[in-house]
Amino acid sequence: MTKLGEKYNNLSLPIKATIWFTFSNIVLKGISFFSVPLLSRILPISEYGIVSVYNSYQQMFLIFSTLELYLGSFQRGVFRYRDEQKNFTVNLILLCNLITAVLFVFTLILRKYFIKFTNTNIIVLILMFSFFFVYPSFNCWLNKRRINYSYIPAVIVTIITTSIISFGSIILTYLIDKNAQTYIISILIIQILCYLPFYCYELRVLGHISAKQRKEHWKYCISFQMPLVAHSLSYLVLAQADRIMIGQMVGNGKAAIYSVAYSFSSVIIIVQVSINQVFQPWRYKKLEQHDYSKIEKVSMLILAVIGVFILMFISIAPDIMKILFSGEYFEAIKMIPPVSASVFFMMQYTIFTDIESYFYKTKYIMYASSICAVVNVILNYFAINLWGYIACAYTTLLTYILFSVLHYFFMNKVCKDSGMKEKIFSQPVLCILSFVFLLIVFIMIVFYQYPEFRYSSCFVLLFVCLITCRKMVLYVKP
């Protein structure tokens, strides 16, 4: 066995899982790197704008039709119901289906308004709700593998399904008809076919569940998740309201350009998502053990790694944009630094909300999200009118900073109310880390037109990243 192989085998399960989930998400975003430019070249810019706006509405309907129980409730529930995970999973999926069916009937009655707002048709409506019916089962299957560090099947399945969905829908659009309707219908049909086997697999123990157990699981899911619905809607506002407002106030063409900037910048989320997918259950376990110092040390290192990755991405983003996209989308380059920088604060508040969720205090997540959603809409309105749609990238950054600050104070309150005498995170350390990160981001914005500066910075940051990753590996013992 080589030295590299020995070092890999000596790594803890969380670190191995992080490596593989990061690899998986890099591949997934690589697929997006190719599929988004392909779609933007196949569809006229106005049609691509319709797809972007429809995606925003679809995410909103997904929240209402499933309450996203497969996220917060499921991730916390598998720890609460360790000995009955299979039954808990089935009951959660059935509850999602019940909510989906109720909302489908309601939407069907008001279908003309849905069609008007989304620029789609009744076929899209039926297919969208069919997709909502099977989607939670896939997420539950995937989350169980992540929680148990069963990374190989999770990686293989996500890469295969994403490849089929992304490229299959583009191929069908190219062959059938190059418009938004064809693309939306194609992707929904493929998603349903890909996720249906997981639905059948997860419901295989349906007949062995008592009504009493189902009632208990449903009661827990609703009570835990309801405050998080407001959070999800507010988060959707943060992610989607800007492009909807741009589409209404400026036009679908500019909404398409902003959507490309946002989608391209979100590539860096692969690092944030990969790390948090693994370290959320790890954080829960450390909270159970009252090992708070380990949580702080590892979290600070994670934030440092995320920050360095974001800065490296900002450094090389303009040249990648010019390779992948046509000239009509180059204006999006100006929005990449502030939107990418938002991911740093996204990671911060994710860490804080995990601790709030551990103590079942999800109402504070709702408070912070609602405040930030309102602030974001107000800032977007004035920013678009005063400085143009590009300013929305900066309002996004400001809102995520506010998000992080609010959750930090709410997390401290939750910990204090739970009888914890010590603070998990040092406020001065967080402030210094955030200030240094933002300072470097704005220095990069000033010198963004000079490739020599950007690439020399990237090499320095890569060296810092390797050192920080090594320290994180040493802290996370098997």
Side-chain angles (χ1 to χ4, degrees):
M1 186 181 291
T2 63
K3 286 187 177 181
L4 187 62
E6 289 177 2
K7 287 183 178 180
Y8 174 79
N9 288 332
N10 290 330
L11 294 175
S12 63
L13 262 181
I15 294 297
K16 287 180 181 177
T18 301
I19 291 170
W20 280 103
F21 282 129
T22 302
F23 166 77
S24 171
N25 287 328
I26 288 172
V27 173
L28 297 183
K29 282 300 178 182
I31 293 168
S32 177
F33 252 60
F34 287 103
S35 62
V36 171
L38 278 173
L39 184 62
S40 68
R41 291 175 186 273
I42 291 173
L43 298 179
I45 191 167
S46 58
E47 292 290 309
Y48 188 80
I50 291 171
V51 172
S52 300
V53 173
Y54 163 78
N55 286 336
S56 301
Y57 282 113
Q58 187 200 55
Q59 289 183 45
M60 181 179 67
F61 273 87
L62 178 63
I63 293 169
F64 282 115
S65 66
T66 64
L67 301 184
E68 293 190 325
L69 295 171
Y70 48 84
L71 295 177
S73 286
F74 184 81
Q75 290 167 345
R76 189 68 183 94
V78 290
F79 286 91
R80 183 186 178 103
Y81 301 106
R82 286 184 178 88
D83 300 327
E84 44 193 85
Q85 278 192 17
K86 289 182 179 179
N87 291 359
F88 173 70
T89 303
V90 171
N91 286 331
L92 185 143
I93 293 170
L94 290 176
L95 181 57
C96 285
N97 290 166
L98 178 62
I99 298 167
T100 300
V102 172
L103 187 64
F104 174 67
V105 172
F106 180 76
T107 309
L108 200 60
I109 295 170
L110 302 173
R111 58 188 178 276
K112 66 177 182 179
Y113 298 104
F114 170 85
I115 293 168
K116 178 183 176 182
F117 285 128
T118 59
N119 288 317
T120 54
N121 54 42
I122 188 66
I123 297 173
V124 171
L125 174 64
I126 294 170
L127 287 173
M128 185 180 75
F129 276 92
S130 300
F131 161 65
F132 293 162
F133 214 76
V134 296
Y135 184 63
S137 58
F138 175 74
N139 272 276
C140 289
W141 182 89
L142 203 57
N143 279 324
K144 279 191 286 188
R145 269 84 199 151
R146 288 168 179 161
I147 290 167
N148 298 319
Y149 305 127
S150 180
Y151 43 85
I152 297 299
V155 167
I156 293 172
V157 167
T158 50
I159 290 175
I160 291 174
T161 53
T162 304
S163 300
I164 293 171
I165 292 166
S166 299
F167 294 120
S169 56
I170 291 174
I171 291 169
L172 287 175
T173 304
Y174 181 79
L175 294 176
I176 298 172
D177 197 357
K178 299 173 185 176
N179 60 47
Q181 297 276 3
T182 304
Y183 173 75
I184 294 168
I185 291 171
S186 299
I187 198 168
L188 285 170
I189 290 173
I190 297 172
Q191 284 173 326
I192 293 165
L193 293 174
C194 284
Y195 299 147
L196 185 59
F198 296 94
Y199 182 80
C200 298
Y201 174 80
E202 291 295 347
L203 264 64
R204 68 193 185 283
V205 296
L206 180 59
H208 304 285
I209 303 172
S210 66
K212 182 180 178 181
Q213 189 182 53
R214 181 167 297 142
K215 182 180 178 181
E216 180 190 344
H217 291 168
W218 282 13
K219 184 179 178 181
Y220 155 76
C221 287
I222 294 296
S223 62
F224 185 90
Q225 193 70 21
M226 284 309 294
L228 293 180
V229 172
H231 163 69
S232 296
L233 288 171
S234 303
Y235 185 82
L236 180 65
V237 169
L238 288 172
Q240 305 292 340
D242 41 16
R243 67 195 75 181
I244 292 175
M245 292 178 73
I246 291 168
Q248 294 292 325
M249 297 172 68
V250 185
N252 282 337
K254 296 299 184 184
I257 294 172
Y258 185 88
S259 180
V260 165
Y262 201 98
S263 300
F264 186 80
S265 298
S266 68
V267 167
I268 195 63
I269 293 179
I270 61 174
V271 182
Q272 183 251 332
V273 170
S274 303
I275 292 175
N276 200 61
Q277 283 171 348
V278 175
F279 280 95
Q280 184 189 55
W282 178 87
R283 214 172 283 128
Y284 284 164
K285 290 173 185 176
K286 292 300 173 185
L287 285 166
E288 286 181 345
Q289 299 165 7
H290 305 288
D291 193 354
Y292 307 129
S293 61
K294 182 67 71 68
I295 293 174
E296 182 184 24
K297 289 175 183 176
V298 173
S299 296
M300 291 303 102
L301 288 169
I302 287 171
L303 284 172
V305 169
I306 292 288
V308 172
F309 265 102
I310 292 169
L311 294 170
M312 287 194 294
F313 177 77
I314 292 172
S315 299
I316 62 175
D319 302 300
I320 299 175
M321 273 288 298
K322 290 175 182 177
I323 293 171
L324 294 176
F325 293 91
S326 57
E328 59 190 347
Y329 289 98
F330 285 177
E331 196 172 25
I333 292 173
K334 299 175 184 178
M335 294 175 273
I336 290 172
V339 175
S340 299
S342 302
V343 179
F344 179 82
F345 297 95
M346 193 184 299
M347 186 69 207
Q348 274 194 29
Y349 91 73
T350 300
I351 293 170
F352 303 151
T353 55
D354 282 349
I355 295 169
E356 292 167 40
S357 297
Y358 175 80
F359 290 108
Y360 300 102
K361 301 296 184 181
T362 52
K363 64 180 181 180
Y364 293 113
I365 300 175
M366 176 184 67
Y367 297 157
S369 303
S370 301
I371 292 168
C372 290
V374 172
V375 170
N376 182 253
V377 171
I378 294 171
L379 288 176
N380 281 343
Y381 178 79
F382 287 105
I384 293 171
N385 282 313
L386 292 173
W387 300 293
Y389 79 103
I390 292 177
C392 286
Y394 291 90
T395 63
T396 297
L397 175 58
L398 287 172
T399 308
Y400 276 111
I401 292 173
L402 176 62
F403 224 130
S404 179
V405 170
L406 288 175
H407 276 300
Y408 175 77
F409 287 109
F410 283 137
M411 176 203 63
N412 283 336
K413 177 174 172 51
V414 167
C415 291
K416 185 178 179 181
D417 292 346
S418 301
M420 194 183 298
K421 295 180 180 179
E422 56 187 296
K423 287 187 176 181
I424 299 179
F425 300 104
S426 167
Q427 186 175 337
V429 172
L430 278 168
C431 289
I432 292 170
L433 192 62
S434 301
F435 175 77
V436 171
F437 171 76
L438 285 174
L439 180 63
I440 298 172
V441 168
F442 284 107
I443 289 172
M444 283 191 165
I445 291 173
V446 172
F447 294 98
Y448 216 40
Q449 58 183 319
Y450 303 107
E452 301 84 1
F453 172 81
R454 288 191 285 106
Y455 280 96
S456 59
S457 300
C458 189
F459 282 115
V460 174
L461 291 165
L462 180 60
F463 178 72
V464 173
C465 183
L466 291 173
I467 295 173
T468 310
C469 285
R470 185 175 181 276
K471 287 185 178 179
M472 188 172 71
V473 170
L474 293 174
Y475 271 122
V476 185
K477 301 295 182 183

